[in-house]
Amino acid sequence: MAYLQLLSYIAPEIYRPAAQLVISQGPTMWWSKLFALAPAAVLSFAAPSGFPASGNGLWYNTPGNLWSKTYLPVGNGFLGAMTPGGASVEITQLNIESLWSGGPFQDPAYNGGNKRPSEAPAAHKAMESIHASIFASSTGQIDNIEALTTDPGAYGSYASAGYLISTMNISGPVTGFARWLDMDEGVARVTWSQSSNYFTRETFCSHPSQACYHRIASSNATLPSTTFAFATLGSLLPTPKITCLDSRTLQVRGFASEPGMLYEILGKVQSTYGRVACTALSANNATISVTGATEAWIAWVGGTEYSMDAGNAKSNFSFRGADPHASLTSLLSPASSSYQDALVQHIADIKATLYSRFSLSLGQKPQLNIPTDQIRAAYQVDKGNPYLEWLTFNLGRYMLASSARGTLPANLQGKWAKDPAPWGADANINIQMNYWSAEMSNLDVTRPLFDYFEKTWAPRGAMTAQTLYNISRGWVAHNEVRIFGHTGMKGGTGAGNTALWANYPESAVWMMIHVWDHFDHTNDVAWWKAQGWPLLKGVASFQLDKLIPDLYFNDSTLVVAPCNSPEQSYITFGCAHAQQMIWQMFNAVEKGFKASGDTDIAFLNEVRSKRARMDKGLRIGRWGQLQEWKVDLDSPTDTHRHLSHLIGLYPGYAISSYDLGLQGGLIANRTNTTYTKSQVMDAAMVSLAHRGNGTGPDADAGWEKVWRAAAWAQFGNAPKFYHELTYTIYETFGPNLFSLYNPFDPDPLFQIDANLGFPAAVLNALLQAQDVPSFDIPLVITLLPALPAAWPSGQLKGARTRGGITVDLQWSNGKPTTVALAVDSNPISASRSVRVVFAGKIVGSFTTKPNFRTTIQRF
Ligand SMILES: *[C@@H]1O[C@H](CO)[C@@H](O)[C@H](O)[C@H]1NC(C)=O
Ligand SMILES: *[C@@H]1O[C@H](CO)[C@@H](O)[C@H](O)[C@H]1NC(C)=O
Ligand SMILES: *[C@@H]1O[C@H](CO)[C@@H](O)[C@H](O)[C@H]1NC(C)=O
Ligand SMILES: *[C@@H]1O[C@H](CO)[C@@H](O)[C@H](O)[C@H]1NC(C)=O
Ligand SMILES: *[C@@H]1O[C@H](CO)[C@@H](O)[C@H](O)[C@H]1NC(C)=O
Ligand SMILES: *[C@@H]1O[C@H](CO)[C@@H](O)[C@H](O)[C@H]1NC(C)=O
Ligand SMILES: *[C@@H]1O[C@H](CO)[C@@H](O)[C@H](O)[C@H]1NC(C)=O
Ligand SMILES: *[C@@H]1O[C@H](CO)[C@@H](O)[C@H](O)[C@H]1NC(C)=O
Ligand SMILES: *[C@@H]1O[C@H](CO)[C@@H](O)[C@H](O)[C@H]1NC(C)=O
C-alpha cells in the first residue's frame, strides 16, 4: 500500500525518455502513452551520458513506480536506500540495519523463544518420549514436535526507516529523462531537462563514512527552491519526532514499535551558493529548504540503540546499547564536510572492494542502446543473454558488498525492506545462500556474519541446548533466528506443521561450512583461533551429545532425531541432510584442530570416534534416488523447493567428494552401503531430476532455481545448468533484476537470496574446487566444468579456491587458453596435493608450497 501513497507526491509531470533516433512503426509499445510527441514511433535509445562505458549498470527511461520491481538499491551495510529516480520530486526509501521491532525492546520478558528453566524437565521428558515414539513407529515417524516449541512472543520484523523526500519547485515537461545505477561506482543517478535547465540527482551510501548522500544540481543555472524532509509515509513505523537540530540539520527520533527500539536519523544539508533554512511545522514535520543555490546535498546517518555486544547473560540478553545520538553526531560532522571528497572516497572503496581483486567477463557485449527493463523483458529461457547474466552476476556482488559490511550480516532482504519484512534471516538455506559467492569471488564481507553467530546465536543457544535438549556443552540455534537471538523452536505460528520450520537444530551446522571455508580460503590463522575455531567447537560439542544410537535399524550407527528436512513434512530420524552436514563438520574439526592451538585432544578423539560410528546420510533407495531420510520414504513426484538431501552435492561435498572408504561399507552386518562414487552421484542426479525445475505446487521462488543451477553445474551438465540459470532470471527477476518471491503478484515481495546466490551458481559452472574430508585427499580444481555454449569466451581473474589459491582463467571457443594458479604465502597445509582438471583430464598438478606459482597453457 505504501507506494500508492507515495505516488501522490510525484508531480503530474510527463516523462519523456531520452531518444536519439525515431524510426516509424510499433503502435502499441509500452512507452507510447508516456511519449507526448510521437505516440506511434519506435525509438532507439542511448544510454545516458555518464552511464559506464563498460555497460556495468542498470538504466531506465522512466522513474520507478514499484519498490520491489523498479527501484534501485544503494547501501553501505549500515544503511540502505532504495531510489525510484524522479525529477522535481524523488522519494527515497530508507533502512537502518538494526531497526527491528520485537525482541526485549518490545517485551522485557522476551527470552529468545526458549523454554523457561522451570519448563526444562518437561521438555527433556518430551524429547525422550519423541525419540522412543520414532524408533517404535513402523515407519520411523511421528506427526508433530509441538511439545518442544515455544510461542515466539515479541518475535519482531525488520522495518523500514521511512523516507527522504527531496523536492524542487519546478514544473513543466521533463525531457531526456534517464536514471541508472552505476555499478562501477556504486551510485544511483538521475538526469533530465526541464524549463531550459539540465538537472542531475545522485544518491549513494558510503562505507568509509557510514553515511548516505543525495545531491541535486543544475549544470548551468540556479536551482529552483529545493527542499529535504524525512517522513514515515505509508510505512508502519510509529510516528517519530522530526525536528530542526540547527538551521541545516534534521533530526528524526522514533521507535521501531511501541514499545520498541529507539532509532535516530540525522541529515545535514549543504549547498553551493544560496541560503539554507530549517522550518519545523509541527513535532513530526520539519523541512530544510535551499534557495538560490546551484547545488544542494544532504548527508544522512542513522542508527539505533541495538547492540550485539549486549546479547549475552552478562547483559541479561538486553541487546541494549547507548542512545545512538552521540555516535551519529560524530559521524555526521566529517561525513557532511565535502560532497566531492565523500564521493571520491566512496568510489575508491567500491573499486577496491568489488573490482580490484576480482573480475569476470562472460564475453558479453554491452547493449548500450536498450534500457535494462527492455533487455530484461526480451530475455528468454535457454537462449539467455550473456550481457544480462553478467549484469545479474555483478548486481549480486554489488548488493552483497552494499548490505553485508555493516555490523549485522545481510538478512533475507539484504538491508532493503520497505514494509515490515516477512522474513528475517531464515537459516535453512537463505542466509547461507547470501554468502555462497563471497569467498570464491574474493569479497571481504563475512566478519559481521561470524560476529552475528558469536554474539547473538551462541550465548542464547547454549541456554537452548540446556533447556530443550538437556545438553550442557556447546550451543544450538534453530531456523528463524533474527537479531535478538531467537534460538528456540518457534511454535504457535499456525502455519501448518510447526516442525517444518521450527525443527532445524542444524542451522549452525550448515553455517559451519562457511566458517570452515573462510579459513580454508584465507588462511587467516589469527581469526581462526579467535573466532572460527570457537564457533566450530561450540556447534560440534552440542551435536556430539545430540547424536543417539539408531534403535530403529539397530545398525549401531549414531543418528539425529527428531529431524525433518527443512520445510519437508516427515518427522523422523537420520535425515540425510543433517547426517551429511554433521559428518562434514566433524571433518572440519579434524582439519582445523592443529591450527586452532587447542590442546583438547579428548574432544578431537570424541569427534573422530563418533564420526566413525555415525550414519553418513548416503543411501540409495527403491527408485534409484539418494534417500532423503534413512527410511526410504521418498516420493518420485516430490518437487519440493529445497534440495536438502543434496547438500553434499552443493554447496557441501559429502556427495561430490564421496569416498567409499570413509563413507560407505557394510555396517554391523545390517546395512550395506558399499557404493561407488558413480553410484552415489547417479542417485543424487536421479533425486535432482525428480525435484523438478524449482516451480512446484509449493513455491516459485528464485533461490530454489539458483540452487538447482549450481547443482547441475556440479554434474558438469552445461545445458541443464544454463536452463535453470536463465529460468531464474526469466521467471523470478524483475526489471531492476531483484529476485521476487511471488513474481506474478502485482506488488511482489523481494527476497535477496537468489540475487546473492546467482554469482555462486555462475562460478560453479566456471571453476570448482570442492572440499575434501582430509588434507591427505587431493584437492581437485576443475576448469569450466559446465560452460554453457552462450559463453564461448571469457575471463575470470582473482577467483579464490580453498587451499589459499588465486586463479586467473581465460577461455575461448569453449576451452581454457591459459590458467595461472598462485598459492598464498601462508597456506594452512603446505603440502596439499592439487590436481587441475579440464574435460575429465588432469592438465596440471602441484603441492601447495607457499608462494608456488604455475601457469598451464596446454589443455
Ligand atoms: C532479565 O531479563 C528477564 C527476561 O529475560 C527479565 O524478566 C528480568 O527482569 C531481567 N532482569 C534484570 C535484572 O533486568
Ligand atoms: C538430563 O541430563 C542429566 C545429566 O546428564 C541426566 O542425569 C538426566 O537424566 C537427564 N534428563 C533426562 C530427562 O534425560
Ligand atoms: C514555486 O514557484 C512558483 C513560480 O515560480 C512560485 O510562485 C511559488 O511561490 C514557489 N513556491 C515555493 C514553495 O517556493
Ligand atoms: C542550460 O543548458 C541547456 C542544455 O545545454 C540549455 O538548453 C539551456 O538553455 C541552458 N540554460 C541556461 C539557463 O543557461
Ligand atoms: C509537512 O507539512 C507540510 C505543510 O503543511 C505538508 O505539505 C507536508 O505534507 C507535511 N509532510 C508530511 C510528511 O506530513
Ligand atoms: C532394536 O533394539 C531395541 C532395543 O534393544 C529393540 O527394542 C528393538 O526391537 C530392536 N529393533 C529391531 C528392528 O531389531
Ligand atoms: C558379520 O557376519 C559375519 C558372518 O555372518 C560374522 O562372522 C561377523 O562376526 C559379523 N560381524 C558383526 C559385526 O556382527
Ligand atoms: C555389499 O554391496 C556390494 C555392492 O553392491 C557388494 O559387492 C557386496 O557383496 C555386498 N556385501 C554384502 C555383505 O552383502
Ligand atoms: C518448469 O516446470 C514446470 C512444472 O513441471 C513446467 O510446467 C514448466 O514448463 C517448466 N519450465 C521450464 C522453463 O523449465
Side-chain angles (χ1 to χ4, degrees):
M1 281 295 102
Y3 75 94
L4 289 176
Q5 286 165 265
L6 285 185
L7 282 179
S8 64
Y9 276 79
I10 297 181
E13 287 162 336
I14 295 166
Y15 288 92
R16 191 175 299 157
Q20 299 300 305
L21 187 67
V22 179
I23 314 167
S24 63
Q25 74 163 298
T28 56
M29 297 299 286
W30 61 275
W31 39 260
S32 60
K33 293 184 209 69
L34 296 167
F35 197 70
L37 255 186
V42 166
L43 300 177
S44 170
F45 302 116
S49 127
F51 187 77
S54 62
N56 190 20
L58 313 178
W59 71 277
Y60 307 86
N61 278 327
T62 51
N65 59 357
L66 195 53
W67 186 93
S68 63
K69 291 177 79 166
T70 55
Y71 281 39
L72 297 172
V74 295
N76 59 17
F78 306 100
L79 304 169
M82 285 284 275
T83 66
S88 65
V89 177
E90 180 163 17
I91 299 174
T92 304
Q93 185 269 325
L94 313 178
N95 286 103
I96 301 171
E97 62 166 344
S98 55
L99 186 60
W100 288 64
S101 61
F105 297 92
Q106 193 161 357
D107 175 9
Y110 178 86
N111 79 341
N114 280 290
K115 301 282 183 196
R116 308 269 150 209
S118 61
E119 297 168 316
H124 301 161
K125 286 227 159 55
M127 190 72 80
E128 256 186 352
S129 103
I130 283 173
H131 291 161
S133 310
I134 287 175
F135 293 134
S137 146
S138 61
T139 57
Q141 291 180 66
I142 53 168
D143 61 12
N144 75 79
I145 45 104
E146 297 308 319
L148 307 178
T149 67
T150 309
D151 186 278
Y155 185 59
S157 298
Y158 186 47
S160 167
Y163 296 82
L164 169 69
I165 305 169
S166 165
T167 76
M168 262 195 307
N169 184 16
I170 188 170
S171 55
V174 171
T175 56
F177 180 87
R179 68 183 175 103
W180 69 99
L181 176 64
D182 180 330
M183 292 197 285
D184 278 347
E185 301 192 338
V187 180
R189 296 195 166 94
V190 193
T191 59
W192 77 97
S193 296
Q194 199 171 13
S195 300
S196 299
N197 283 332
Y198 177 77
F199 295 103
T200 58
R201 287 183 183 278
E202 234 170 33
T203 308
F204 68 94
C205 291
S206 155
H207 185 259
S209 75
Q210 297 186 32
C212 296
Y213 299 82
H214 177 88
R215 170 183 180 262
I216 172 98
S218 163
S219 61
N220 57 357
T222 301
L223 287 175
S225 149
T226 298
T227 68
F228 298 98
F230 292 102
T232 52
L233 302 182
S235 68
L236 298 181
L237 277 179
T239 305
K241 282 203 166 59
I242 304 181
T243 52
C244 298
L245 202 61
D246 58 45
S247 66
R248 51 178 75 238
T249 309
L250 290 166
Q251 181 188 45
V252 181
R253 265 172 89 81
F255 296 91
S257 50
E258 272 171 332
M261 182 197 293
L262 171 72
Y263 72 97
E264 177 165 317
I265 296 171
L266 294 177
K268 184 164 181 177
V269 174
Q270 307 280 19
S271 69
T272 300
Y273 308 117
R275 208 176 73 83
V276 178
C278 189
T279 315
L281 295 169
S282 72
N284 327 99
N285 186 338
T287 299
I288 289 185
S289 51
V290 181
T291 47
T294 53
E295 99 177 310
W297 56 282
I298 179 166
W300 75 92
V301 293
T304 72
E305 61 181 329
Y306 174 83
S307 169
M308 224 194 234
D309 294 322
N312 49 38
K314 192 167 144 246
S315 304
N316 198 25
F317 297 97
S318 72
F319 288 98
R320 194 181 296 272
D323 183 315
H325 181 73
S327 65
L328 292 176
T329 307
S330 57
L331 278 180
L332 187 62
S333 157
S336 60
S337 64
S338 159
Y339 182 82
Q340 199 52 34
D341 289 355
L343 181 63
V344 166
Q345 185 189 37
H346 166 67
I347 294 171
D349 169 66
I350 288 288
K351 291 200 187 299
T353 304
L354 282 166
Y355 305 112
S356 67
R357 296 183 303 181
F358 175 90
S359 68
L360 171 72
S361 161
L362 296 175
Q364 71 284 345
K365 294 188 185 62
Q367 292 169 279
L368 297 175
N369 58 342
I370 312 178
T372 309
D373 44 357
Q374 294 304 292
I375 296 175
R376 164 65 191 88
Y379 192 78
Q380 289 170 29
V381 179
D382 295 323
K383 186 157 178 283
N385 173 348
Y387 176 48
L388 194 67
E389 289 138 19
W390 178 77
L391 280 178
T392 310
F393 181 95
N394 290 351
L395 180 67
R397 290 182 79 243
Y398 164 80
M399 288 172 92
L400 184 58
S402 305
S403 62
R405 294 188 296 154
T407 51
L408 286 161
N411 67 51
L412 200 34
Q413 305 287 130
K415 296 282 166 67
W416 297 281
K418 90 169 146 69
D419 294 318
W423 304 281
D426 283 19
N428 64 13
I429 170 69
N430 315 91
I431 193 171
Q432 287 90 349
M433 183 179 280
N434 281 0
Y435 286 86
W436 278 1
S437 75
E439 303 298 345
M440 206 166 190
S441 83
N442 212 346
L443 276 177
D444 181 12
V445 295
T446 48
R447 246 341 251 278
L449 180 71
F450 301 141
D451 288 346
Y452 172 65
F453 302 147
E454 179 189 326
K455 296 177 180 186
T456 76
W457 288 23
R460 204 51 118 174
M463 192 174 134
T464 310
Q466 185 64 64
T467 54
L468 196 56
Y469 294 90
N470 199 22
I471 291 176
S472 55
R473 57 174 175 166
W475 57 273
V476 61
H478 294 88
N479 176 27
E480 301 168 85
V481 193
R482 315 225 143 181
I483 70 166
F484 306 116
H486 189 285
T487 52
M489 282 196 201
K490 177 170 165 256
T493 56
N497 191 332
T498 310
L500 307 199
W501 285 270
N503 183 26
Y504 191 56
E506 288 83 28
S507 59
V509 180
W510 191 335
M511 295 306 338
M512 291 309 109
I513 296 181
H514 293 253
V515 166
W516 171 253
D517 281 359
H518 184 64
F519 183 43
D520 203 7
H521 284 75
T522 62
N523 313 302
D524 187 343
V525 175
W527 170 80
W528 181 244
K529 288 184 171 171
Q531 187 173 49
W533 173 259
L535 284 169
L536 180 63
K537 190 177 186 184
V539 179
S541 301
F542 170 82
Q543 297 289 340
L544 281 174
D545 283 356
K546 186 170 166 291
L547 286 169
I548 53 175
D550 175 350
L551 300 182
Y552 181 91
F553 289 110
N554 285 341
D555 60 4
S556 84
T557 63
L558 298 174
V559 293
V560 296
C563 66
N564 47 279
S565 268
E567 302 176 24
Q568 281 264 55
S569 56
Y570 296 123
I571 308 171
T572 176
F573 67 96
C575 300
H577 175 75
Q579 303 289 147
Q580 291 173 24
M581 286 199 309
I582 293 170
W583 181 76
Q584 291 191 181
M585 177 174 68
F586 287 168
N587 294 333
V589 167
E590 188 179 60
K591 288 185 283 186
F593 185 77
K594 198 166 144 222
S596 75
D598 194 332
T599 54
D600 188 353
I601 297 287
F603 169 67
L604 177 63
N605 287 338
E606 187 180 354
V607 164
R608 283 175 167 151
S609 102
K610 290 203 170 160
R611 180 182 59 179
R613 285 178 59 201
M614 72 180 286
D615 188 285
K616 307 301 187 288
L618 297 169
R619 225 168 234 87
I620 298 174
R622 64 188 195 289
W623 44 277
Q625 87 282 16
L626 195 85
Q627 282 176 222
E628 187 153 5
W629 301 279
K630 191 163 177 178
V631 179
D632 188 352
L633 300 165
D634 305 49
S635 155
T637 58
D638 179 2
T639 56
H640 194 265
R641 51 197 181 272
H642 288 252
L643 303 177
S644 303
H645 54 317
L646 304 184
I647 181 90
L649 180 71
Y650 184 93
Y653 66 91
I655 297 169
S656 47
S657 297
Y658 173 80
D659 182 309
L660 167 59
L662 297 173
Q663 292 162 279
L666 186 63
I667 306 166
N669 276 2
R670 280 178 174 273
T671 321
N672 187 357
T673 60
T674 310
Y675 307 129
T676 62
K677 167 131 185 220
S678 64
Q679 285 174 321
V680 170
M681 288 295 276
D682 287 351
M685 200 189 288
V686 167
S687 291
L688 178 61
H690 279 258
R691 263 324 218 258
N693 62 20
T695 299
D698 56 330
D700 190 12
W703 61 264
E704 48 186 313
K705 300 176 181 68
V706 162
W707 197 355
R708 282 159 173 77
W712 283 115
Q714 199 62 47
F715 286 119
N717 189 327
K720 283 196 160 26
F721 155 74
Y722 199 58
H723 180 77
E724 282 293 336
L725 193 82
T726 55
Y727 184 43
T728 308
I729 294 181
Y730 173 82
E731 184 83 349
T732 60
F733 282 27
N736 57 358
L737 305 184
F738 268 39
S739 170
L740 305 169
Y741 170 74
N742 44 350
F744 303 105
D745 192 278
D747 185 10
L749 296 166
F750 165 54
Q751 259 193 349
I752 206 170
D753 44 8
N755 281 107
L756 305 190
F758 187 93
V762 168
L763 287 171
N764 209 40
L766 303 177
L767 182 70
Q768 288 171 7
Q770 287 302 102
D771 203 356
V772 282
S774 102
F775 289 144
D776 301 336
I777 297 173
L779 174 64
V780 176
I781 298 182
T782 309
L783 309 176
L784 307 178
L787 185 73
W791 306 337
S793 307
Q795 186 176 24
L796 185 59
K797 259 177 88 83
R800 299 278 296 170
T801 73
R802 57 191 69 257
I805 300 170
T806 301
V807 181
D808 292 347
L809 169 66
Q810 268 177 283
W811 68 95
S812 112
N813 297 319
K815 285 181 63 176
T817 51
T818 173
V819 62
L821 301 114
V823 179
D824 289 353
S825 59
N826 56 341
I828 311 167
S829 164
S831 56
R832 222 172 147 166
S833 156
V834 179
R835 288 182 193 151
V836 184
V837 169
F838 171 67
K841 267 189 2 220
I842 297 179
V843 295
S845 55
F846 59 91
T847 52
T848 55
K849 287 191 287 290
N851 297 312
F852 176 83
R853 303 246 176 308
T854 185
T855 301
I856 302 168
Q857 276 163 322
R858 282 228 288 265
F859 299 93

